[in-house]
Amino acid sequence: MTDTCVYGAPPVALAEVPPGARQASPLVPGAAALEDFAPASLSAAVIAAPPGTIERRYVLALALRALQPGASLTALAHKEKGGSRLRKELEGFGCSVEEVGRHHQRICHVVRPQAAEGLEAAIAAGGPQRVSGGLWSQPGVFSWDRDDLGSQALIAALPPLAGHGADLGCGIGVLARAVLASPKATRLDLVDLDRRAIEAARRNIEDPRAQFHWADVRRGPELSGLDFVVTNPPFHDTGLEDKALGQAFIRRAHGMLRPGGALWLVANRHLPYEAVLGEAFAKVLPRGEGGAFKIYEARR
């Protein structure tokens, strides 16, 4: 029996997803991993291609590897977010490409050639790898190959934390490693929407106190009675700035904390989090100002 897959959320008006196609995006908790599809096991794939060049080539190469020779691949992206390069990239893999443009998107249709070229090199370049400091990361993960300055600012402001806490939007585990340096921290639940980040964090944190959750913070996991929460919340959703995303993290953190528990948060200076912090928490204390970031300790 053949299989089909879809990666991400291609606009329904621009690409027809086969019925029963398995979702393979690392940003959809519970989805299949495109990496795990056996070579030549798919009869069709539809890819909403990511904007980053290395990540996009990785995804395209994985899809082509998983497709049977002669199977169809549809890949599309906004013309200003990688779409203008799609055709050339697919041709570089040995594909003959039919391309159309609609609604600012470039839509490429190909048939998987008998002998695709350069797949393994693209897969190696976009796969898990060690970056600065010897940590594991992967293209496509937030701040994948450089220090996240917001997290570093929060680490500098944090006191030693004690008890059971959570790191919401944990990334590859940089902030969590700093929290777990405190021997008084008894457990830390790491939560992130990106499977690749969670997999990297597992490799970066070999500590029995750490528990890992591939989940959308806005919907799970169900944690309660926590002593502390740390977060450097994202403020982009599907590539667009979304101030409500960080505000949702704050409300979720409040619901997870015990009375008297503390939220430690870092945010870009322009983000409007003060009102929701003041509404949700009994006490809100600035713990760092200056530069591009602001840091707050909020007590429930």
Side-chain angles (χ1 to χ4, degrees), residues 38-163:
S41 64
L42 295 180
S43 61
V46 180
I47 305 295
T53 300
I54 300 174
E55 178 190 7
R56 184 175 59 254
R57 284 175 47 79
Y58 175 75
V59 171
L60 294 173
L62 286 172
L64 287 167
R65 185 180 70 177
L67 285 166
Q68 303 164 354
S72 66
L73 168 65
T74 299
L76 65 161
H78 191 283
K79 65 181 182 180
E80 295 180 357
K81 295 184 178 181
S84 62
R85 302 184 184 94
L86 264 180
R87 178 173 191 147
K88 185 176 181 180
E89 289 168 345
L90 287 164
E91 289 175 340
F93 290 132
C95 298
S96 178
V97 182
E98 295 180 6
E99 181 186 26
V100 296
R102 292 177 59 196
H103 302 293
H104 307 292
Q105 299 263 340
R106 292 288 187 268
I107 309 161
C108 293
H109 301 280
V110 307
V111 171
R112 204 275 197 200
Q114 188 70 33
E117 304 167 2
L119 300 186
E120 294 309 317
I123 290 169
Q129 53 199 270
R130 289 188 183 275
V131 293
S132 61
L135 298 180
W136 287 95
S137 188
Q138 187 172 352
V141 173
F142 173 71
S143 193
W144 81 272
D145 62 347
R146 64 189 185 278
D147 286 341
D148 171 35
L149 298 180
S151 292
Q152 294 298 331
L154 181 54
I155 288 170
L158 280 179
L161 297 174

Side-chain angles (χ1 to χ4, degrees), residues 262-279:
L263 165 66
W264 284 85
L265 173 141
V266 62
N268 290 60
R269 290 184 61 83
H270 74 283
L271 294 170
Y273 294 160
E274 287 77 9
V276 68
L277 284 167
E279 292 168 3

Side-chain angles (χ1 to χ4, degrees), residues 230-278:
V230 296
T231 187
N232 178 7
F235 57 96
H236 288 89
D237 192 7
T238 62
L240 301 175
E241 183 169 311
D242 182 359
K243 298 177 177 66
L245 186 55
Q247 294 168 347
F249 270 54
I250 292 168
R251 295 187 181 97
R252 284 285 290 157
H254 176 269
M256 294 176 179
L257 288 164
R258 62 167 174 79
L263 165 66
W264 284 85
L265 173 141
V266 62
N268 290 60
R269 290 184 61 83
H270 74 283
L271 294 170
Y273 294 160
E274 287 77 9
V276 68
L277 284 167

Side-chain angles (χ1 to χ4, degrees), residues 129-132 134-148 151 167 169-177 190-192 194-205 212:
Q129 53 199 270
R130 289 188 183 275
V131 293
S132 61
L135 298 180
W136 287 95
S137 188
Q138 187 172 352
V141 173
F142 173 71
S143 193
W144 81 272
D145 62 347
R146 64 189 185 278
D147 286 341
D148 171 35
S151 292
D167 180 355
C170 65
I172 66 170
V174 172
L175 184 53
R177 282 163 56 95
L190 288 77
V191 188
D192 204 284
D194 193 329
R195 171 181 53 78
R196 299 163 300 184
I198 289 294
E199 290 175 351
R202 287 182 185 275
R203 301 177 82 166
N204 293 328
I205 300 173
F212 302 89

